[in-house]
Amino acid sequence: QLQLVESGGGLVQPGGSLRLSCAASRYTLEYYAIGWFRQAPGKEREGVSCISRSAGTTKYADSVKGRFTISRDNAKNTVYLQMNNLKPEDAAVYYCAVPFWYGYTCSNHLQTTDFIRWGRGTQVTVSS
């Protein structure tokens, strides 16, 4: 079974940066589109970013455009989410996930229901 593991979270001051990683066991991530989601306490899980299988398509939530960058390094079997200029509202548990089918194309509005495999998440805290 495909298992996803997120890492790279931590405590950062507003304006700081973090790079999250999404790694997989058993399967190579290059065959999957990958979505990044986040969930803050008391809030719904929301889509943050998505990268296509070929990495030719990337999508971002309006709230993170210009600050976050999603990328993949197939040699390392890892998908990254570079987060710059972090804001307090970015604080959440961040999850990576794979979609239900190979033909999935990253949509402008990421839906949790389009994804079937999830990591356990990594905590991002933004505080002074």
Side-chain angles (χ1 to χ4, degrees), residues 32-44:
Y32 302 89
I34 296 292
W36 280 99
F37 295 78
R38 66 188 182 188
Q39 187 167 21
K43 299 183 66 176
E44 297 290 330

Side-chain angles (χ1 to χ4, degrees), residues 64-112:
V64 306
K65 286 181 180 177
R67 299 188 298 119
F68 290 12
T69 303
I70 190 170
S71 63
R72 62 166 79 235
D73 186 337
N74 291 335
K76 296 181 178 180
N77 200 31
T78 302
V79 173
Y80 301 102
L81 183 67
Q82 178 68 45
M83 307 186 297
N84 297 327
N85 191 24
L86 284 161
K87 303 176 180 180
E89 53 263 42
D90 295 319
V93 177
Y94 283 72
Y95 303 88
C96 63
V98 297
F100 277 92
W101 67 100
Y102 283 120
Y104 175 83
T105 56
C106 298
S107 64
N108 290 325
H109 298 92
L110 296 175
Q111 302 292 325
T112 59

Side-chain angles (χ1 to χ4, degrees), residues 10-29:
L11 174 64
V12 65
Q13 295 182 343
S17 298
L18 287 172
R19 188 179 73 166
L20 306 184
S21 298
C22 176
S25 63
R26 297 180 62 84
Y27 295 88
T28 54
L29 289 184

Side-chain angles (χ1 to χ4, degrees), residues 24-62:
S25 63
R26 297 180 62 84
Y27 295 88
T28 54
L29 289 184
E30 67 179 310
Y31 301 127
Y32 302 89
I34 296 292
W36 280 99
F37 295 78
R38 66 188 182 188
Q39 187 167 21
K43 299 183 66 176
E44 297 290 330
R45 189 170 298 185
E46 63 176 345
V48 176
S49 186
C50 184
I51 187 167
S52 65
R53 293 173 59 187
S54 66
T57 299
T58 57
K59 299 289 185 180
Y60 300 93
D62 289 341

